[in-house]
Amino acid sequence: MAQSTFDDDDLFGEAADEMRADVREHLTSAKSKLPTADAVWETDAENILGALNGLRSALDTGDAVDELRQAKKQYVMGERAGAFEDDEALADEIESLQELVETLEEAHDQVGELTSVVPQLKSDLEDAHAEGVDTDAEADDAESEEAEA
């Protein structure tokens, strides 16, 4: 039977290892919940609005944000306790993933803006062209009437 140790340094070391494992687990989970590159790049939409809606859905970070938040909370707690003093790679991984999530969220917002603008733009262009066609047709009719007179 193994002897249990209750030495503060041993317990702290175990807690730090567990915290590090929790951070890595949350980071792995966050990465797995990110959209895939193919989901963001490929589309089978028939028009631009369909493509934009598909892209907007693909850019959704979903639960990745929550997992990243959990990883960062665990890391901050461990860092303040001195458990991660020599683990810059873990901090870099968190920062890199945070930047990617922020970029995805920004792109999601930008596509959302386009998604709301494009239908109105289409309608306005249709109206502008319809008015232009009517004006041209009326001018042709007026010229025809003048020629007949």
Side-chain angles (χ1 to χ4, degrees):
M1 185 164 142
Q3 184 177 5
S4 295
T5 177
F6 295 104
D7 178 61
D8 286 351
D9 289 338
D10 289 341
L11 291 173
F12 183 79
E14 284 180 39
D17 289 343
E18 290 171 7
M19 193 171 285
R20 187 175 289 109
D22 286 346
V23 170
R24 291 205 182 282
E25 182 180 320
H26 286 295
L27 285 174
T28 299
S29 181
K31 288 176 184 178
S32 74
K33 293 178 188 314
L34 289 174
T36 64
D38 287 345
V40 171
W41 190 253
E42 296 176 2
T43 185
D44 59 354
E46 294 183 23
N47 59 46
I48 193 69
L49 186 57
L52 287 171
N53 281 327
L55 179 57
R56 186 171 182 222
S57 293
L59 292 170
D60 186 17
T61 55
D63 294 335
V65 173
D66 294 333
E67 291 293 338
L68 176 58
R69 184 175 175 77
Q70 290 301 318
K72 195 162 183 176
K73 283 190 327 187
Q74 290 289 325
Y75 182 82
V76 168
M77 284 178 44
E79 183 182 44
R80 289 192 181 162
F84 298 140
E85 290 175 351
D86 61 343
D87 205 342
E88 290 182 27
L90 196 56
D92 291 343
E93 189 175 350
I94 290 170
E95 183 179 339
S96 176
L97 188 55
Q98 183 174 339
E99 288 173 3
L100 176 57
V101 166
E102 289 170 354
T103 300
L104 284 166
E105 288 176 334
E106 183 179 324
H108 182 270
D109 292 344
Q110 290 173 349
V111 172
E113 289 175 21
L114 278 174
T115 301
S116 64
V117 169
V118 168
Q120 184 61 48
L121 183 59
K122 178 183 180 278
S123 178
D124 291 347
L125 287 169
E126 288 172 342
D127 291 347
H129 284 286
E131 290 170 4
V133 169
D134 290 344
T135 303
D136 291 343
E138 290 171 8
D140 289 344
D141 288 344
E143 287 177 15
S144 295
E145 289 175 10
E146 288 177 12
E148 292 175 7

